[in-house]
Amino acid sequence: VQLQASGGGLVQAGGSLRLSCTASGRTSSNYVMGWFRQAPGKERVFVAAISRGGGTTSYADSVKGRFTISRDNAKNTVYLQMNSLKPEDTAVYYCGADRVIMTDLRIEPADYDYWGQGTLVTVSS
């Protein structure tokens, strides 16, 4: 499956952005989907994940209450709605697809099999 992330940009602190990740090649409903981010000089870290049907979600503590992950399987697209953005949210955001179905959504980048190219989010203070 190929993943294409989009929607990044420059926004002021307190603002909002919505990221999209569209899958092609194979239907995205076969995969758990996740969003991760990587700030300059830092490792890629988990942001949010969503189950194949969309009924279960998981969030990093740093984004709970501000970010919402959702998916539209008819469009093979996963979204990340980001509200109340902070300068520390600045990073390249990546979407990933996890083939393995576990009881709990996985949060380690190494567990994800496919990645999009990343989209840059910059939050100014």
Side-chain angles (χ1 to χ4, degrees):
V1 62
Q2 293 79 46
L3 303 177
Q4 179 75 35
S6 62
L10 174 64
V11 63
Q12 289 188 329
S16 298
L17 281 174
R18 188 177 80 156
L19 306 183
S20 299
C21 174
T22 301
S24 60
R26 298 192 72 176
T27 177
S28 64
S29 61
N30 291 330
Y31 305 93
V32 169
M33 299 296 294
W35 284 99
F36 294 75
R37 65 188 182 187
Q38 187 166 14
K42 296 189 176 181
E43 294 184 347
R44 190 172 300 189
V45 297
F46 171 74
V47 174
I50 189 166
S51 60
R52 291 183 298 169
T56 301
T57 58
S58 179
Y59 296 93
D61 288 343
S62 59
V63 306
K64 279 181 182 176
R66 300 188 297 123
F67 291 11
T68 302
I69 188 171
S70 62
R71 66 191 301 164
D72 184 339
N73 286 338
K75 296 182 178 180
N76 278 338
T77 301
V78 178
Y79 303 98
L80 186 68
Q81 178 66 43
M82 305 186 296
N83 298 329
S84 302
L85 282 160
K86 304 175 182 180
E88 51 264 44
D89 294 319
T90 295
V92 177
Y93 283 71
Y94 297 90
C95 60
D98 183 0
R99 294 178 299 174
V100 178
I101 308 304
M102 307 287 287
T103 301
D104 296 319
L105 300 175
R106 301 200 288 183
I107 67 172
E108 294 296 329
D111 292 328
Y112 284 70
D113 305 289
Y114 305 99
W115 293 95
Q117 85 290 358
T119 185
L120 176 62
V121 172
T122 303
V123 184
S124 62
S125 58

